[in-house]
Amino acid sequence: MTVRVTLIDGGSVVEIKASGQATRREAGWATERARELSANNDVMAILADCQDAEPQQSPQLSAEIIENFLFALERPLPSAYIVPLVWDETYAKAVRKELIELPPNARFFTDRESALDWLAGFQAA
């Protein structure tokens, strides 16, 4: 799997771009790097673009990775998660069912444009 964690939108958004199969180690590294970058007060949001990622072995593992990321952040930032293109509706529903708690500042999206539009609403406020 390839995971990149960078700043976009003039440094106000942490972008995590993932492709291929994610391991817990790679997800953990991306979480830690995003947490480090989001400690900067100029960062206003997080975009996790996982369109090109492969599905995990189970919806439970997908939910665990998502929750671990969201709750690792030291401050609650609007977080947009673009689901993998290979998730069918059944898998997506199973992941959502496994999530114990999705913070109100986090949303799932199927495309980058919608995710960025939603995040822009927070940045303008």
Side-chain angles (χ1 to χ4, degrees):
M1 170 170 174
T2 302
V3 180
R4 282 182 327 175
V5 180
T6 58
L7 292 172
I8 61 171
D9 201 20
S12 66
V13 176
V14 173
E15 178 184 40
I16 301 166
K17 184 101 169 128
S19 61
Q21 184 65 44
T23 65
R24 279 191 170 107
R25 175 176 284 174
E26 290 164 326
W29 172 84
T31 297
E32 183 59 27
R33 184 68 182 128
R35 192 178 68 74
E36 289 171 0
L37 291 173
S38 67
N40 181 330
N41 286 333
D42 292 337
V43 171
M44 304 301 291
I46 296 181
L47 173 67
D49 185 347
C50 298
Q51 290 183 85
D52 297 327
E54 295 175 15
Q56 295 298 328
Q57 294 176 1
S58 69
Q60 294 86 0
L61 180 55
S62 293
E64 176 187 321
I65 289 171
I66 293 165
E67 280 183 333
N68 286 346
F69 170 75
L70 290 171
F71 292 109
L73 299 175
E74 293 186 12
R75 58 187 177 112
L77 292 171
S79 300
Y81 180 82
I82 305 171
V83 300
L85 292 171
V86 295
W87 281 17
D88 61 20
E89 189 58 34
T90 302
Y91 191 90
K93 283 182 183 179
V95 170
R96 286 185 182 103
K97 184 178 179 183
E98 290 295 326
L99 290 170
I100 295 169
E101 183 180 347
L102 187 64
N105 60 315
R107 295 280 187 280
F108 288 101
F109 296 89
T110 56
D111 65 275
R112 185 177 178 86
E113 185 177 321
S114 297
L116 289 171
D117 285 349
W118 182 75
L119 292 174
F122 284 96
Q123 291 178 285

